[in-house]
Amino acid sequence: MGILNEFERRLEGVVEGVFTMVFRSGLHPVEIARRLLKEMEDGRTVGVRGVWVPNHFVVRLSAADLERFRGTENALRRELRQVVRDEVAERGWGLVGPPEVLLEADALLRQGTFEIEASLVEGPQAEEPAAASGDLPPEAMPAGERATHDDGGTGAPFVSAPALEPRAELVLIERGRPGRTFALAAERTVIGRLPESDVPVRDPGASRRHAEIRREDGEYVLADLGSTNGTLVNEASVGERALCDGDRITIGETVLEFRRR
């Protein structure tokens, strides 16, 4: 399956050498991703509006397996969330809120086994099914689309317009002046030395997949992807940080300025 192959490729690129040591034996993250997809399939809610699937997952593991994943837990959770987004996009399903994946230890589980609890948890940003033509129960309807009855006595329900999606960009700073601009239009924008990166950085101090910027609940979050030389924001080393307008990201000798639009 393409989504699972892409998941494994991304995860291996993120954690590089750690991947070989931790994930090549015992419980493999692809097993978790495969079960996640099955839980989405089994948990579908079919309505006139479209198909809605679980977006909140609690993965219960043995204490030993959770400990093995401890150093790469953030990267694993992030890539599992992307698996959910990829499957939704491919199948034309909808989410009532942003995807979330939690890892928890369960003393009753033996090493190599795991369980997943899947549910629909409403959030501020819903992802609509590809073909939307009906309605959801009020408790599952995305924010910004619920009908209100404060209609001035007309008796007609009012449906509020969805909030505008925030927009942002990265601007390459060359010799102190703004240069090339990269729009942050996708859910994830990868910065790195690889030519196919969303923001290619031709800098010997950059790793192949150096960092990424994710859109999360109206914010843009920068995360270092285990780079060799690290990532700076306003001259301070960061692992993960929400960006503000005007922040300057330094990768090797390359400077990128974050701008909200």
Side-chain angles (χ1 to χ4, degrees):
M1 181 181 292
I3 288 177
L4 294 178
N5 289 339
E6 180 64 14
F7 163 75
E8 185 170 9
R9 185 192 67 79
R10 285 197 314 266
L11 192 60
E12 188 167 12
V14 169
V15 299
E16 297 184 351
V18 180
F19 189 94
T20 302
M21 292 184 291
V22 176
F23 296 156
R24 289 304 186 193
S25 61
L27 179 62
H28 196 286
V30 169
E31 298 176 55
I32 300 175
R34 184 178 291 111
R35 180 82 67 81
L36 211 68
L37 297 180
K38 184 177 187 303
E39 292 294 334
M40 293 173 69
E41 177 85 28
D42 293 345
R44 289 175 299 163
T45 298
V46 182
V48 177
R49 186 188 188 98
V51 179
W52 299 83
V53 294
N55 64 308
H56 191 273
F57 305 87
V58 179
V59 182
R60 296 191 173 89
L61 312 161
S62 71
D65 282 325
L66 185 60
E67 183 61 31
R68 287 175 60 239
F69 294 156
R70 187 66 67 189
T72 55
E73 182 176 347
N74 288 339
L76 176 57
R77 291 178 56 209
R78 182 170 63 244
E79 297 304 333
L80 287 170
R81 290 196 296 266
Q82 188 61 34
V83 165
V84 175
R85 293 189 184 97
D86 290 345
E87 182 74 353
V88 163
E90 183 172 295
R91 303 287 290 272
W93 292 339
L95 300 172
V96 299
E100 181 57 278
V101 180
L102 304 176
L103 304 182
E104 295 182 356
D106 189 327
L108 299 180
L109 293 175
R110 68 179 185 276
Q111 190 168 356
T113 64
F114 65 97
E115 297 176 351
I116 296 182
E117 178 183 323
S119 58
L120 283 79
V121 176
E122 184 187 355
Q125 291 181 326
E127 299 179 19
E128 296 283 348
S133 59
D135 58 3
L136 281 172
E139 65 274 12
M141 187 174 291
E145 291 190 8
R146 294 177 187 160
T148 69
H149 296 280
D150 184 10
D151 52 20
T154 64
F158 169 74
V159 180
S160 60
L164 293 176
E165 189 70 27
R167 295 187 296 169
E169 61 190 12
L170 290 180
V171 179
L172 179 63
I173 304 299
E174 299 177 288
R175 299 179 182 176
R177 303 184 64 178
R180 186 178 177 186
T181 297
F182 303 89
L184 300 176
E187 291 295 319
R188 294 159 52 103
T189 300
V190 175
I191 308 168
R193 201 174 67 248
L194 290 175
E196 59 267 29
S197 299
D198 302 307
V199 181
V201 176
R202 297 177 180 177
D203 190 309
S207 296
R208 294 177 304 160
R209 289 169 53 86
H210 194 102
E212 71 174 9
I213 295 177
R214 307 187 304 272
R215 288 194 300 174
E216 293 185 353
D217 301 333
E219 290 191 327
Y220 290 81
V221 179
L222 171 73
D224 185 89
L225 298 179
S227 65
T228 301
N229 297 312
T231 303
L232 305 180
V233 175
N234 302 331
E235 305 302 323
S237 179
V238 299
E240 186 165 312
R241 165 176 167 162
L243 294 170
C244 299
D245 186 45
D247 280 348
R248 289 202 168 188
I249 303 164
T250 302
I251 294 175
E253 299 296 326
T254 301
V255 177
L256 298 159
E257 185 173 295
F258 174 77
R259 296 180 182 176
R260 297 295 293 254
R261 293 185 283 151

